[in-house]
Amino acid sequence: MSPLNLDDAATLLMQLEATDTADLAVLRDALTDLAFENRVPLRAQPHVARAARVLGSVVNGTAADVSAAFAEVGQAIEAAMKASEGQVVEVGADPVAHAMSETVGGATAIAVASGATPSLTLALVDEVPPTPVVVATAAVATPALETSAVVPPVAAAPAVARNRQEDRLPDDADRDLLPDFLTESNECITNSEAALLQLEANPSDEEAVNTVFRAFHTVKGTSAFLGLTRIAEFAHEAESLLSRVRDKEIAYTRGCADLSLRSADMLKALLMVVEKALNGDGRMPIPEGFFELLDALAGYDPARDADGVQLAVSSGSDDIFPTLTDGADDAGALSGPVSGIAVARKPEAPVAQSANNASTGNSGSNADATIRVRTDRLDRLIDMVGELVIAQSMIAGDDTFGSGTQHELLRKVTHAGKIVRELQDLSMSMRMVPLRPTFQKLARVVRDTATKAGKTVQFVTDGDEVEIDRTMVDRLGDPLVHMVRNAVDHGVEPPAERTANGKPGLGVVRLHAYHASGNVVVELVDDGRGLHRDKIVKKAIEKGLIETDKGMTDSEVFNLIFAPGFSTAEKITDISGRGVGMDVVRRNLEAIRGRIDITSAPGKGTTFSIRLPLTLAVTDGMLVRVGDERFIIPLTHIHMSFRPEPSMLSTVVGKGEMVHLRGELMPILRLHRLFDVANAVQNPLDGLLMIVGDGAKRTALLVDELLGQQQVVAKTLGDGLGKVAGVSGGAILGDGRVGLILDVNETVALAQSTDCSAPRHEREAA
Amino acid sequence: MSTQSLQVMNSDTSSLATLAPTRAGKYLTFYLAGEEYGLEILKVSEIIGLQPITRVPRMPEFVRGVINLRGKVIPITDLRMKFGMGAEDSEDSCIIVVQMRGIQTGIVVDRVSEVVAIAEADIEDAPSFGSGIRTEFLLGIGKAGGRVKLLLDIDKVLATAEIAALQDAQAHAD
């Protein structure tokens, strides 16, 4: 395809009518290419992209006024041509290098506009395209190599005159395309982050550089196309830095790595802003630290920063959750006078790396072709397969086969059953995704936390190919980040302390996932200080959580750090620190039905092991019958069930019925009264008592009989009903009917707040 | 509570909006206690036979419970109970699955009759009294084939069901 330039586009546009849809589409595609491929200067790109976008609306027939749209396209192309005029168009072999040189030109204009040389202002400002955003685009690109002659870096650094106003979502933004853009871009950035870490471990990994470069490039292209100029301009700067690395112009040093990772963060922040704007009022505030980072990117000088940019070593900060403001501060320090920057980091570069990633390299990036599917369609498919399984078992259970004369038919039905079961497995596996991306994100967390805390930590992962349910990945992420951060921040000792204790200076934090008896186990192991039993006990007694630790196992004691009182208290770094927000960790994990256990030895390290179900969609439940109805009680809530003896039952005045079991007195909850079920067992001696609930507040549920344990797929009870007290959802049982899944905690709370001493109809009759 | 009432308000305005231009169209008619009712055909997604319904505790009486509709759990409202006619299932009783604002829900009726097209000219506003049911559920009264059909505004019927269920649940919680 012979590349079309702007002049061609303008000529072509004049020859075309609004009805030449096919030709207009070709022109639009050509313009899109122009905007994406760096064949026009950066400052012209937004105009070209706008032209393509408006033209697109003509092609799709969505333009309100075709002639006005045509005029707008014409203007946009004209503006683009103006923007690219007066530039030194020495189209090199490398389009990126070309774009770089254009950026430099833009920088000149900016520096002038900021008042450095007032006499030139008028002459040059005219050349800057009218869109203020574009002014910011060209903001202060001062790579010393190319532009020192034009603009001295120091003068350029504190540039003020740029568009600092917050943006708005463009009025003509395509709201249908934006969500896809956000998903895709976020994915790109996540990939690039992993590649950046890989690159840091192995700076000569060209494929990694290319991955990052491509990711930034894609974000830049699509965001420019969608009119999100600020993102495009930022991605361009980030891309430029990487292109210099790719072209071996600069080495990928520590400083460069810091900047690139920060750029990835900033892009994420920018995307989040767009997402908020899309769901909200369209305002797009500029993330903090944006301009500082932009300056740092543009003004990156390898000679100056080779040993590492002074970043993120704000020791003494008790904030273990760095936010964007950190970036602002640190990058702000960067953009200051040059003299303040040359402080090098500690020489022993702590490398936070995933051994797994480093060894497998990047082979995994494009290995599997994937397709994005809407989750509701997937859920529907799984529903249908579930129905198919029920229908199949109904056929297989048909009386026809009982007579033993239908061998041929039975054989066919059995064969169909096999296929159905395989289909069921397959459909369940479609929701499963590997833990790899989650683990990769944590590599970044380890790196940042270690740098911040002055630790040297090696991060090792294995088992990242283990798959868990898609919905659980999201919920697992936060607790893991928290725990990994804690492990690095509090668990692993500083290098000096480690060597003093005869340990290697390099701490190890290991994340390990594997399957165990139908569960997925994620273990976080560190070889740090370990937990101090005595100190935890002391603290817990102080807090009134326990009275004495007599008879408590180590594991029970360590589990105390999950108690809410432990974390909301003042800082507890004096007992090796675990516990900041650990109650939140446990709550999040419980929400996905995970269990967490701690083992620890003082001086040796700590292991957190998280046990998770394979999928959230399936609940292990006990099917019970109460009168005419059946309920499913989640197994995790059941301690035991037994048939009571008369001697165990007693009535406490005003407290209802109680059952006495091994020294523990528990209230009896009659489900049939609470839920008004007919034909249920009245006398506890005729039924079964099921002990549910946790800790000191255990309750005995009276049920008629246990029908058996089964795995059920939990579903909501239909949106029309809203929240039903005491019921967490429904499940399709083997006979195709719906069974209700009991929310045990809620049911118990409900029983305590309701007078259910007699069934409702009896009360009404009385 | 606030979100719920907000939804109800939205449904009110949206049904007003649909009501304003025209009420003419095709209606699925069915019987309830000998009276013939009509339901906009566009709201109906399917008709299924009566099947075992799982009762949901602590719901108002007209909420019969939930059923499994091909893997999806949907709530079932009994219109007879809703309109205070007393529950009575017959051989012909069936469930009409309606789609309102993306939510599938079922209603139990005595017998499904036919689909009729009713012109705007044949639809009169509901009289303010005398039809035996509360008139705010009615889009109007249609005449077709020499018979009178009470045209239901199903969104309103079910929206009030939601409110009632909510109030009931809250009364219990208090």
Side-chain angles (χ1 to χ4, degrees), chain B residues 32-33 35 37 79-88 132-133:
Chain B
L32 274 184
E35 281 174 299
Y37 290 82
L79 271 199
R80 289 183 68 115
M81 296 294 283
K82 174 76 195 166
F83 294 153
M85 299 165 177
E88 191 184 298
I133 65 158

Side-chain angles (χ1 to χ4, degrees), chain A residues 578-638:
Chain A
R578 305 306 175 81
V580 179
M582 286 307 257
D583 61 323
V584 183
V585 168
R586 183 159 75 168
R587 249 207 320 277
N588 281 345
L589 289 175
E590 274 172 358
I592 52 174
R593 299 209 310 273
R595 245 188 42 210
I596 181 162
D597 281 312
I598 311 172
T599 48
S600 178
K604 294 264 166 53
T606 311
T607 301
F608 288 85
S609 69
I610 305 169
R611 192 170 277 271
L612 296 164
L614 276 179
T615 165
L616 263 194
V618 177
T619 309
D620 271 318
M622 178 66 78
L623 189 63
V624 302
R625 187 174 66 80
V626 179
D628 294 341
E629 283 163 34
R630 294 173 299 177
F631 295 96
I632 298 152
I633 301 175
L635 274 194
T636 46
H637 288 283
I638 304 176

Side-chain angles (χ1 to χ4, degrees), chain A residues 380 383-384 387 390 629-631 674-678 715-727 730-732 736-740 750 753-754 760, chain B residues 4 51-59 63 65-76 100 102-105 158 161-162 165-166 168-169 172-174:
Chain A
R380 199 80 200 104
D383 281 351
M384 296 310 295
E387 283 295 289
I390 291 168
E629 283 163 34
R630 294 173 299 177
F631 295 96
L674 187 66
F675 289 163
D676 210 11
V677 181
K715 296 167 192 291
T716 61
L717 283 188
D719 299 320
L721 277 187
K723 174 84 193 91
V724 181
V727 174
I732 316 291
R737 289 186 57 181
V738 181
L740 299 180
L750 201 63
S753 66
T754 319
R760 207 193 301 178
Chain B
Q4 198 82 8
Q51 49 182 279
I53 299 174
T54 302
R55 211 180 61 98
V56 177
R58 312 171 74 81
M59 282 284 134
V63 177
V66 290
I67 62 161
N68 163 26
L69 180 72
R70 289 190 302 287
K72 212 168 170 183
V73 179
I74 65 167
I76 304 295
M100 50 175 239
I103 300 172
Q104 273 189 325
T105 174
L158 296 177
E162 280 172 28
L166 195 76
D168 198 63
H172 278 288
D174 290 340

Side-chain angles (χ1 to χ4, degrees), chain A residues 322-371:
Chain A
T323 51
L324 274 176
T325 31
D326 292 327
D329 294 339
D330 301 329
L334 242 191
S335 64
V338 184
S339 56
I341 291 187
V343 187
R345 269 200 58 266
K346 285 198 210 84
E348 80 276 35
V351 181
Q353 71 163 72
S354 153
N356 205 348
N357 288 343
S359 58
T360 53
N362 37 57
S363 56
S365 57
N366 296 326
D368 300 320
T370 52
I371 174 170

Side-chain angles (χ1 to χ4, degrees), chain A residues 615-686:
Chain A
T615 165
L616 263 194
V618 177
T619 309
D620 271 318
M622 178 66 78
L623 189 63
V624 302
R625 187 174 66 80
V626 179
D628 294 341
E629 283 163 34
R630 294 173 299 177
F631 295 96
I632 298 152
I633 301 175
L635 274 194
T636 46
H637 288 283
I638 304 176
H639 292 285
M640 60 178 296
S641 49
F642 62 97
R643 192 173 284 280
E645 304 279 326
S647 62
M648 298 163 101
L649 301 173
S650 57
T651 316
V652 179
V653 181
K655 284 248 176 183
E657 295 163 294
M658 309 288 277
V659 60
H660 201 93
L661 179 72
R662 291 183 212 145
E664 197 179 340
L665 207 56
M666 287 165 290
I668 296 177
L669 198 168
R670 290 178 183 243
L671 268 188
H672 67 273
R673 285 191 186 161
L674 187 66
F675 289 163
D676 210 11
V677 181
N679 299 327
V681 165
Q682 296 294 322
N683 188 343
L685 299 177
D686 299 335

Side-chain angles (χ1 to χ4, degrees), chain A residues 53 133 163 165-179 181-182 222-223 225-231 270-286:
Chain A
R53 204 164 63 241
V133 180
N163 177 22
Q165 281 173 356
E166 66 175 33
D167 304 325
R168 292 193 62 82
L169 210 56
D171 289 335
D172 54 348
D174 191 331
R175 285 175 178 265
D176 295 333
L177 279 182
L178 277 174
F181 160 73
L182 289 173
T222 33
S223 52
F225 179 64
L226 288 165
L228 302 166
T229 33
R230 198 176 292 277
I231 298 183
L270 285 164
L271 290 171
M272 206 179 285
V273 165
V274 175
E275 193 174 354
K276 276 200 189 128
L278 190 61
N279 297 326
D281 54 2
R283 280 172 51 240
M284 297 201 294
I286 300 162

